Amino acid sequence: MSSILADFLKNQAAHIRNESESIKATKLDWQRAVQDLVHQMVEWLNAADLDGVLRVQQVDHVFEDYDLGRHVVKGLALALGDGTVRIAPSSSEVVGALQLPGETERRRARGRVIFDNGTDRVPLYRVKDGDRDVWVWWSHGGIGKPFDRESFEATIVSLFR
């Protein structure tokens, strides 16, 4: 006697095991990239806050994942007076592609971080360039606007206003 579900699961097991290590490595790379990004943003925030008025708190974002199980990726919560800006990692799986400035081909986005003040949301996307992480803001036409200290600070100021 054969079970349709048992046969299906048996066939899927080999496929899942073969794919699992690659998927896990991709997701761990995403976690590392977000942590590098958060570290860079904290440095920029600390350098800009000469009067010590900005509260910067790292916040745990818990994800439940098939390949990694339960895991935490850090984000930020910024408080200035009664305003709050949250910087939260989203999934490493993003549907869509972006064109990097100066390039003609689109690249698949490999993760997203959302900047949010409760009303407005600004997505920051990660694109891989070999082993290098390239972070870009979404802009009209799908051409990414470079993420740098100036664009980061402008986005934070905009969300606090």
Side-chain angles (χ1 to χ4, degrees):
M1 181 183 262
S2 172
S3 166
I4 295 171
L5 180 58
D7 291 343
F8 173 76
L9 294 174
K10 184 176 182 176
N11 289 334
Q12 288 297 306
H15 173 71
I16 289 171
R17 284 189 196 102
N18 290 339
E19 297 282 323
S20 184
E21 287 307 311
S22 173
I23 293 169
K24 186 175 181 178
T26 299
K27 291 177 181 180
L28 289 171
D29 186 52
W30 162 243
Q31 289 179 352
R32 180 222 30 93
V34 172
Q35 295 316 274
D36 290 350
L37 177 69
V38 166
H39 178 76
Q40 179 63 71
M41 290 188 294
V42 168
E43 284 182 10
W44 289 340
L45 291 165
N46 289 337
D49 187 20
L50 301 177
D51 293 324
V53 296
L54 183 66
R55 283 195 337 246
V56 178
Q57 178 182 7
Q58 289 199 26
V59 178
D60 290 345
H61 295 270
V62 179
F63 294 89
E64 189 69 38
D65 186 88
Y66 183 83
D67 299 290
L68 297 178
R70 186 178 175 92
H71 60 279
V72 174
V73 181
K74 296 283 187 188
L76 294 172
L78 313 177
L80 180 65
D82 61 354
T84 300
V85 172
R86 289 169 297 284
I87 303 171
S90 189
S91 171
S92 62
E93 294 298 319
V94 177
V95 175
L98 296 143
Q99 187 175 323
L100 295 180
E103 293 188 1
T104 57
E105 298 293 319
R106 292 184 179 266
R107 295 178 187 232
R108 183 172 176 216
R110 299 290 180 180
R112 175 181 57 214
V113 174
I114 302 295
F115 289 62
D116 172 26
N117 66 2
T119 303
D120 299 311
R121 293 170 47 99
V122 181
L124 179 67
Y125 292 92
R126 174 182 171 242
V127 175
K128 291 295 284 184
D129 185 17
D131 288 339
R132 189 172 68 98
D133 300 311
V134 179
W135 293 93
V136 292
W137 305 102
W138 175 260
S139 66
H140 294 289
I143 299 174
K145 178 183 169 194
F147 170 79
D148 56 18
R149 183 175 178 170
E150 184 178 338
S151 67
F152 168 71
E153 289 181 0
T155 299
I156 296 301
V157 169
S158 171
L159 289 170
F160 272 124
R161 286 193 171 151

